[in-house]
Amino acid sequence: MESVKISLAFMPCEKVNAKIKGIKDMLKSLVGWYSSCNATGHITICEFETTEDQLEGIVAILREELNYEHAQYVYFNDYSVFQNGDSYTYYIAPTVQSRYYFNQRSAVVINALKGKFSLRSMSKEPHLSIGRRLEESMLKEAKNNLKQIDLDFFCDAVFVRVFNPVVKQYDIYTKIPFGGKVREVYPSGQLSFNF
């Protein structure tokens, strides 16, 4: 069976993704084509390879685990940079509280799958990439023209995405919503009786 590349991610609503597309289009008009200029906004949790046969099993595992996760608004209020050798990633960073929220949800997903798959690209820095593999001159243009940002969206799901080799982007396979259930916790220790 042929292997497929999977990316698990949080994704903004259409309204926020339209803003991100506008930002990317503006940068593209300034610097020309760049890596990720056509990618839809997302916050990567992890990536791995599997087979098409295993996809529904992965979805079932995640549905069970995400039943106990709660949705909330997340906020992004700053631009920042990752450096990788002599190229750069310019991105939109979440607030401290939103970063914590993403990292907690990501840990649930990773813990559910790490014993079964060889996970990679597990980011401890949740972010919305604007441009990847930017040269220094491109980064300078991004910094000069993209200075203030204020985005928010209601994070209520994890998206399973499958790599499309034709367009070299990920297509959404399915959305797994957070269930908002409370785990049953039984008190430990000795029972007491009021006689």
Side-chain angles (χ1 to χ4, degrees):
M1 178 50 87
E2 192 176 328
S3 71
V4 290
K5 285 168 70 174
I6 303 298
S7 170
L8 303 177
F10 306 105
M11 294 186 75
C13 61
E14 285 182 32
K15 183 178 171 186
V16 169
N17 254 329
K19 287 182 184 177
I20 292 168
K21 183 180 183 330
I23 292 166
K24 289 183 174 200
D25 287 348
M26 188 191 51
L27 183 58
K28 189 175 171 183
S29 73
L30 294 168
V31 302
W33 184 92
Y34 61 88
S35 185
S36 79
C37 67
N38 296 320
T40 306
H42 63 278
I43 298 104
T44 302
I45 299 169
C46 63
E47 296 174 353
F48 59 97
E49 288 191 25
T50 186
T51 62
E52 285 183 23
D53 288 3
Q54 292 181 308
L55 272 174
E56 282 308 310
I58 292 163
V59 170
I61 290 167
L62 293 176
R63 276 195 204 288
E64 176 60 31
E65 289 301 316
L66 297 177
N67 247 335
Y68 302 97
E69 296 307 313
H70 296 271
Q72 78 172 42
Y73 277 94
V74 288
Y75 302 90
F76 293 77
N77 64 353
D78 199 13
Y79 284 105
S80 197
V81 179
F82 292 129
Q83 184 172 0
N84 187 8
D86 53 1
S87 72
Y88 304 88
T89 297
Y90 199 62
Y91 66 90
I92 305 171
T95 62
V96 171
Q97 296 87 346
S98 295
R99 179 177 180 256
Y100 177 79
Y101 176 80
F102 284 129
N103 282 337
Q104 293 301 306
R105 308 293 80 65
S106 293
V108 169
V109 170
I110 289 165
N111 287 336
L113 299 175
K114 69 181 178 186
K116 300 165 185 70
F117 300 94
S118 179
L119 305 180
R120 58 182 188 278
S121 298
M122 295 182 286
S123 175
K124 295 279 191 265
E125 290 294 332
H127 63 280
L128 289 163
S129 291
I130 294 302
R132 291 184 304 132
R133 297 190 198 106
L134 298 178
E135 297 167 6
E136 200 161 331
S137 61
M138 298 162 101
L139 176 66
K140 188 175 179 183
E141 286 289 345
K143 283 182 168 181
N144 287 340
N145 291 281
L146 305 172
K147 295 180 179 179
Q148 292 186 318
I149 190 71
D150 185 14
L151 298 175
D152 65 84
F153 66 91
F154 193 61
C155 184
D156 63 352
V158 167
F159 289 79
V160 178
R161 307 179 317 143
V162 177
F163 187 71
N164 180 333
V166 176
V167 295
K168 297 190 176 4
Q169 297 289 341
Y170 284 92
D171 295 329
I172 294 172
Y173 177 76
T174 193
K175 174 182 177 179
I176 304 173
F178 299 152
K181 292 184 179 177
V182 177
R183 288 190 193 271
E184 294 293 324
V185 179
Y186 299 99
S188 61
Q190 197 170 359
L191 292 174
S192 61
F193 298 95
N194 296 323
F195 292 117

